[in-house]
PDB file of all heavy atoms in Angstrom:
ATOM      1  N   ASP A 686     -42.330 -16.213 -65.768  1.00 96.00           N
ATOM      2  CA  ASP A 686     -43.793 -16.070 -65.605  1.00 96.00           C
ATOM      3  C   ASP A 686     -44.275 -16.891 -64.528  1.00 96.00           C
ATOM      4  O   ASP A 686     -44.736 -18.060 -64.641  1.00 96.00           O
ATOM      5  CB  ASP A 686     -44.458 -16.415 -67.013  1.00 96.00           C
ATOM      6  CG  ASP A 686     -45.946 -16.057 -66.957  1.00 96.00           C
ATOM      7  OD1 ASP A 686     -46.411 -15.540 -65.925  1.00 96.00           O
ATOM      8  OD2 ASP A 686     -46.619 -16.362 -68.039  1.00 96.00           O
ATOM      9  N   TYR A 687     -44.189 -16.433 -63.193  1.00 95.00           N
ATOM     10  CA  TYR A 687     -44.249 -17.239 -62.010  1.00 95.00           C
ATOM     11  C   TYR A 687     -45.477 -18.156 -61.857  1.00 95.00           C
ATOM     12  O   TYR A 687     -45.241 -19.376 -61.866  1.00 95.00           O
ATOM     13  CB  TYR A 687     -44.076 -16.250 -60.852  1.00 95.00           C
ATOM     14  CG  TYR A 687     -44.058 -16.883 -59.521  1.00 95.00           C
ATOM     15  CD1 TYR A 687     -42.923 -17.582 -59.080  1.00 95.00           C
ATOM     16  CD2 TYR A 687     -45.207 -16.956 -58.630  1.00 95.00           C
ATOM     17  CE1 TYR A 687     -42.802 -18.250 -57.669  1.00 95.00           C
ATOM     18  CE2 TYR A 687     -45.124 -17.517 -57.440  1.00 95.00           C
ATOM     19  CZ  TYR A 687     -44.013 -18.237 -57.026  1.00 95.00           C
ATOM     20  OH  TYR A 687     -43.914 -18.759 -55.666  1.00 95.00           O
ATOM     21  N   ASN A 688     -46.551 -17.643 -61.769  1.00 95.00           N
ATOM     22  CA  ASN A 688     -47.799 -18.410 -61.616  1.00 95.00           C
ATOM     23  C   ASN A 688     -48.240 -19.222 -62.892  1.00 95.00           C
ATOM     24  O   ASN A 688     -49.041 -20.097 -62.742  1.00 95.00           O
ATOM     25  CB  ASN A 688     -48.928 -17.625 -61.077  1.00 95.00           C
ATOM     26  CG  ASN A 688     -48.648 -17.148 -59.597  1.00 95.00           C
ATOM     27  OD1 ASN A 688     -48.467 -17.930 -58.731  1.00 95.00           O
ATOM     28  ND2 ASN A 688     -48.830 -15.759 -59.393  1.00 95.00           N
ATOM     29  N   ASN A 689     -47.780 -18.824 -63.985  1.00 95.00           N
ATOM     30  CA  ASN A 689     -48.089 -19.550 -65.257  1.00 95.00           C
ATOM     31  C   ASN A 689     -47.083 -20.684 -65.523  1.00 95.00           C
ATOM     32  O   ASN A 689     -47.111 -21.406 -66.383  1.00 95.00           O
ATOM     33  CB  ASN A 689     -48.138 -18.720 -66.389  1.00 95.00           C
ATOM     34  CG  ASN A 689     -49.438 -17.976 -66.574  1.00 95.00           C
ATOM     35  OD1 ASN A 689     -50.524 -18.473 -66.079  1.00 95.00           O
ATOM     36  ND2 ASN A 689     -49.572 -16.666 -67.133  1.00 95.00           N
ATOM     37  N   LYS A 690     -46.076 -20.677 -64.534  1.00 94.00           N
ATOM     38  CA  LYS A 690     -45.032 -21.828 -64.544  1.00 94.00           C
ATOM     39  C   LYS A 690     -44.414 -21.990 -65.841  1.00 94.00           C
ATOM     40  O   LYS A 690     -44.207 -23.090 -66.380  1.00 94.00           O
ATOM     41  CB  LYS A 690     -45.769 -23.130 -64.084  1.00 94.00           C
ATOM     42  CG  LYS A 690     -46.516 -22.999 -62.771  1.00 94.00           C
ATOM     43  CD  LYS A 690     -47.431 -24.243 -62.530  1.00 94.00           C
ATOM     44  CE  LYS A 690     -48.260 -24.000 -61.237  1.00 94.00           C
ATOM     45  NZ  LYS A 690     -49.154 -25.192 -61.004  1.00 94.00           N
ATOM     46  N   ARG A 691     -43.883 -20.928 -66.367  1.00 95.00           N
ATOM     47  CA  ARG A 691     -43.162 -21.014 -67.621  1.00 95.00           C
ATOM     48  C   ARG A 691     -42.042 -19.782 -67.684  1.00 95.00           C
ATOM     49  O   ARG A 691     -42.175 -18.886 -66.992  1.00 95.00           O
ATOM     50  CB  ARG A 691     -44.114 -20.895 -68.795  1.00 95.00           C
ATOM     51  CG  ARG A 691     -44.914 -19.529 -68.820  1.00 95.00           C
ATOM     52  CD  ARG A 691     -46.006 -19.611 -69.803  1.00 95.00           C
ATOM     53  NE  ARG A 691     -46.749 -18.316 -69.793  1.00 95.00           N
ATOM     54  CZ  ARG A 691     -47.844 -18.172 -70.579  1.00 95.00           C
ATOM     55  NH1 ARG A 691     -48.300 -19.118 -71.304  1.00 95.00           N
ATOM     56  NH2 ARG A 691     -48.441 -16.922 -70.429  1.00 95.00           N
ATOM     57  N   ASP A 706     -41.597 -24.489 -70.744  1.00 83.00           N
ATOM     58  CA  ASP A 706     -41.858 -25.008 -69.321  1.00 83.00           C
ATOM     59  C   ASP A 706     -41.696 -26.588 -69.424  1.00 83.00           C
ATOM     60  O   ASP A 706     -42.225 -27.222 -70.157  1.00 83.00           O
ATOM     61  CB  ASP A 706     -43.225 -24.546 -68.966  1.00 83.00           C
ATOM     62  CG  ASP A 706     -44.291 -24.971 -69.916  1.00 83.00           C
ATOM     63  OD1 ASP A 706     -44.005 -25.499 -71.043  1.00 83.00           O
ATOM     64  OD2 ASP A 706     -45.497 -24.803 -69.612  1.00 83.00           O
ATOM     65  N   GLN A 708     -42.521 -29.859 -67.323  1.00 79.00           N
ATOM     66  CA  GLN A 708     -43.598 -30.273 -66.305  1.00 79.00           C
ATOM     67  C   GLN A 708     -43.426 -31.715 -65.953  1.00 79.00           C
ATOM     68  O   GLN A 708     -44.319 -32.207 -65.481  1.00 79.00           O
ATOM     69  CB  GLN A 708     -44.958 -29.958 -66.983  1.00 79.00           C
ATOM     70  CG  GLN A 708     -45.287 -28.493 -67.338  1.00 79.00           C
ATOM     71  CD  GLN A 708     -45.186 -27.654 -65.917  1.00 79.00           C
ATOM     72  OE1 GLN A 708     -45.747 -28.027 -64.802  1.00 79.00           O
ATOM     73  NE2 GLN A 708     -44.470 -26.559 -66.052  1.00 79.00           N
ATOM     74  N   MET A 714     -40.880 -27.389 -63.707  1.00 83.00           N
ATOM     75  CA  MET A 714     -40.688 -26.003 -63.295  1.00 83.00           C
ATOM     76  C   MET A 714     -42.068 -25.475 -62.914  1.00 83.00           C
ATOM     77  O   MET A 714     -42.883 -25.088 -63.633  1.00 83.00           O
ATOM     78  CB  MET A 714     -40.162 -25.269 -64.436  1.00 83.00           C
ATOM     79  CG  MET A 714     -39.920 -23.823 -64.194  1.00 83.00           C
ATOM     80  SD  MET A 714     -39.035 -22.897 -65.566  1.00 83.00           S
ATOM     81  CE  MET A 714     -39.978 -23.354 -66.978  1.00 83.00           C
ATOM     82  N   ARG A 715     -42.273 -25.436 -61.577  1.00 84.00           N
ATOM     83  CA  ARG A 715     -43.528 -25.094 -61.090  1.00 84.00           C
ATOM     84  C   ARG A 715     -43.695 -23.606 -60.828  1.00 84.00           C
ATOM     85  O   ARG A 715     -44.614 -23.066 -61.274  1.00 84.00           O
ATOM     86  CB  ARG A 715     -43.906 -25.908 -59.770  1.00 84.00           C
ATOM     87  CG  ARG A 715     -44.357 -27.279 -60.041  1.00 84.00           C
ATOM     88  CD  ARG A 715     -44.465 -28.105 -58.758  1.00 84.00           C
ATOM     89  NE  ARG A 715     -43.204 -28.313 -58.119  1.00 84.00           N
ATOM     90  CZ  ARG A 715     -42.895 -29.377 -57.477  1.00 84.00           C
ATOM     91  NH1 ARG A 715     -43.742 -30.300 -57.300  1.00 84.00           N
ATOM     92  NH2 ARG A 715     -41.774 -29.549 -56.900  1.00 84.00           N
TER      93      ARG A 715
END
Side-chain angles (χ1 to χ4, degrees):
D686 188 3
Y687 183 75
N688 288 309
N689 282 328
K690 305 174 186 178
R691 64 188 179 184
D706 56 352
Q708 292 301 312
M714 182 170 52
R715 284 174 291 216

